């Protein structure tokens, strides 16, 4: 008679850690790399590693975090060459031969060690007219927006961005052309282009056009590949390309008809 | 790149996609049995459809290429401003002149 023996579920490799195992961590600081050794722990995140180094080994290490649960977008860094939220990245999922290389986000000025300045990122967000424009005489009543309308769906697709800067760091066009507004600002602009209440569309479409605007996107899709929220700024930028082209052609034909009238 | 340059580049890309396919297809078909230069010129000479097709091809290429070249130069070099735009207009003019000259040469030859 065969007896079935309950087989324990295989351990989740992203949660378990071998007792006594260590992790070799290289952190970019002061133009070079500094090496640290940290104990492997169950369910250890990259942010746990950085925090342990700062608290136990080198209190001068600078990095940024706030919520630790993937809501604020403050803790993004370059982990083994890829921009990521460190609080939502398990060591076991990304360590290569028990090694980690941590660098600040690309395309942004380094404040110190792993902390970058976000000013250029938000300046471009503003330059892309990323704020809602109610107009001079906002309507007295609420706007009725059908949840399944195409415009509302387009807004829904991009509105969850929390401005962590991962897409901006992943974008090669930003690296080549520092003036380029970048995926996050353009994604934000696209959500407002689809906001039926907004009254600043002409100026916004003008702001997201040109050599710093949406037409410079190469559709590499690095932003969409790396977005921790699984948003697709590439498609938002494609929408802006269509909207700005339509607007420019309308302006051109209006000018032509004015001249021939 | 302005939206109008973007539209021009995308529009000419559509024309070039068809024109290049027709161009390559014609070459492969025409030379399958072996043709002399004289025989080719015999077919192109006075052929208005040939001239119109290659005229459109040349103009589309002359619009499309400098817009792309301008973007590449802006990304890979510090070259900006009116001098770059002027140089790209010169490239476009050069492509039009050389391309139409070649098309006309085999039309009237």
């Amino acid at each position: 008679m065969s007896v079935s023996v309950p087989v324990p579920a295989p351990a989740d490799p992203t949660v378990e850690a071998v007792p006594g195992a260590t992790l070799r961590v290289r952190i970019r600081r002061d133009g070079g790399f500094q090496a640290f050794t940290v104990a492997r722990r169950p369910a250890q995140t990259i942010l746990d590693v950085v925090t342990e180094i700062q608290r136990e080994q080198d209190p001068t290490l600078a990095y940024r975090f706030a919520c630790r649960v993937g809501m604020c977008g403050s803790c993004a860094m370059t982990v083994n060459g890829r921009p990521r939220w460190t609080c939502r990245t398990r060591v076991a999922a990304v360590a290569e031969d028990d090694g980690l290389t941590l660098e600040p986000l690309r395309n942004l000025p380094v404040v110190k060690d792993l902390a970058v300045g976000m000013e250029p990122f938000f300046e471009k967000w503003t330059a892309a007219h990323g704020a809602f424009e109610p107009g001079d005489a906002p309507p007295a009543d609420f706007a009725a927006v059908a949840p399944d309308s195409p415009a509302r769906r387009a807004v829904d697709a991009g509105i969850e961005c929390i401005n962590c800067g991962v897409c901006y760091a992943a974008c090669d066009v930003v690296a080549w052309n520092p003036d380029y507004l970048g995926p996050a600002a353009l994604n934000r602009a696209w959500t407002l282009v689809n906001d039926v209440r907004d009254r600043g569309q002409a100026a916004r479409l003008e702001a997201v056009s040109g050599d710093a605007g949406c037409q410079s996107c190469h559709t590499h899709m690095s932003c969409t590949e790396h977005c921790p929220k699984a948003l697709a700024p590439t498609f938002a930028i494609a929408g802006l390309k269509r909207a700005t082209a339509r607007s420019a052609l309308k302006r051109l034909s209006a000018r032509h008809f004015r001249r021939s009238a | 790149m302005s939206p109008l340059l973007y539209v021009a580049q995308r529009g000419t890309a559509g024309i070039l996609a068809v024109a290049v396919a027709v161009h390559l297809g014609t070459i492969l078909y025409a030379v399958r049995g072996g043709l002399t230069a004289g025989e080719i010129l015999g077919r192109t000479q006075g052929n208005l459809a040939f001239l119109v097709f290659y005229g459109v091809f040349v103009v589309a290429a002359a619009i499309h290429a400098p817009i792309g070249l301008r973007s590449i130069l802006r990304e890979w070099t510090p070259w900006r401003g009116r001098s770059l735009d002027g140089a790209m207009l010169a490239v476009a003019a050069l492509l039009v002149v050389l391309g139409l000259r070649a098309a006309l040469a085999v039309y009237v030859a």
Side-chain angles (χ1 to χ4, degrees):
Chain A
M1 190 178 119
S2 65
V3 178
S4 65
V5 179
V7 180
D12 182 346
T14 66
V15 174
E16 298 302 324
V18 179
T22 56
L23 191 65
R24 290 171 291 100
V25 185
R26 295 165 70 238
I27 297 182
R28 182 179 282 279
R29 302 182 79 183
D30 306 322
F33 281 98
Q34 188 173 352
F36 298 92
T37 303
V38 177
R40 292 287 294 268
R41 304 181 194 286
Q44 190 177 26
T45 66
I46 307 296
L47 186 60
D48 292 336
V49 170
V50 179
T51 302
E52 181 168 336
I53 290 171
Q54 197 220 38
R55 291 187 182 173
E56 308 293 337
Q57 301 186 33
D58 187 345
T60 67
L61 178 67
Y63 65 109
R64 183 184 290 128
F65 75 98
C67 75
R68 299 175 296 168
V69 290
M71 289 176 69
C72 71
S74 305
C75 68
M77 298 171 200
T78 306
V79 182
N80 286 350
R82 291 173 66 100
R84 295 175 175 281
W85 287 350
T86 53
C87 70
R88 299 287 287 175
T89 304
R90 291 236 168 95
V91 169
V94 295
E96 293 164 357
D97 299 327
D98 290 324
L100 280 179
T101 300
L102 305 180
E103 297 168 89
L105 282 182
R106 201 169 65 129
N107 297 337
L108 289 163
V110 176
V111 176
K112 184 174 184 288
D113 302 335
L114 297 170
V116 292
M118 297 295 283
E119 288 85 358
F121 177 87
F122 285 109
E123 278 166 9
K124 289 179 179 180
W125 206 84
T126 308
H129 289 224
F132 176 71
E133 175 53 65
D136 293 333
D141 204 358
F142 292 107
V145 181
D148 58 350
S149 63
R152 177 68 231 192
R153 282 171 186 265
V155 174
D156 282 344
I159 201 69
E160 295 296 336
C161 174
I162 59 171
N163 298 304
C164 63
V166 163
C167 61
Y168 190 84
C171 180
D172 287 332
V173 181
V174 176
W176 297 329
N177 177 8
D179 295 335
Y180 178 54
L181 291 169
L186 293 172
N187 178 74
R188 171 61 183 167
W190 178 238
T191 62
L192 288 168
V193 164
N194 283 286
D195 190 328
V196 296
R197 305 164 303 162
D198 192 278
R199 295 290 171 268
Q201 301 298 4
R204 181 171 297 110
L205 290 177
E206 182 74 26
V208 299
S209 298
D211 290 313
C214 60
Q215 284 86 13
S216 293
C217 171
H218 284 234
T219 321
H220 287 165
M221 300 190 75
S222 294
C223 52
T224 301
E225 163 75 17
H226 290 87
C227 177
K229 302 280 286 185
L231 306 183
T234 310
F235 298 113
I237 294 167
L240 284 179
K241 286 176 181 173
R242 290 193 300 273
T244 51
R246 266 198 301 271
S247 166
L249 287 174
K250 261 187 209 166
R251 273 205 311 274
L252 190 71
S253 62
R255 208 179 309 157
H256 174 75
F257 282 122
R258 255 203 315 276
R259 224 178 267 163
S260 52
Chain B
M1 187 193 306
S2 81
L4 288 177
L5 284 183
Y6 174 80
V7 170
Q9 201 190 25
R10 290 301 187 274
T12 51
I15 295 169
L16 287 173
V18 175
V20 169
V22 170
H23 174 69
L24 290 177
T26 308
I27 289 173
L28 292 173
Y29 176 76
V31 302
R32 76 196 186 288
L35 272 178
T36 64
E39 286 168 334
I40 292 174
L41 285 176
R43 286 162 172 76
T44 59
Q45 199 174 15
N47 187 336
L48 194 64
F50 164 85
L51 184 65
V52 170
F53 174 76
Y54 278 98
V56 170
F57 194 158
V58 163
V59 172
I63 294 171
H64 185 87
I67 298 173
L69 186 60
R70 178 180 177 275
S71 296
I72 294 167
L73 287 169
R74 281 185 59 90
E75 279 169 9
W76 289 91
T77 71
W79 199 3
R80 301 277 190 280
R82 283 176 180 273
S83 64
L84 175 62
D85 294 343
M88 293 306 103
L89 281 172
V91 170
L94 187 70
L95 289 175
V96 166
V97 169
L98 293 180
L100 290 183
R101 182 171 164 266
L104 269 175
V106 288
Y107 174 74
V108 297

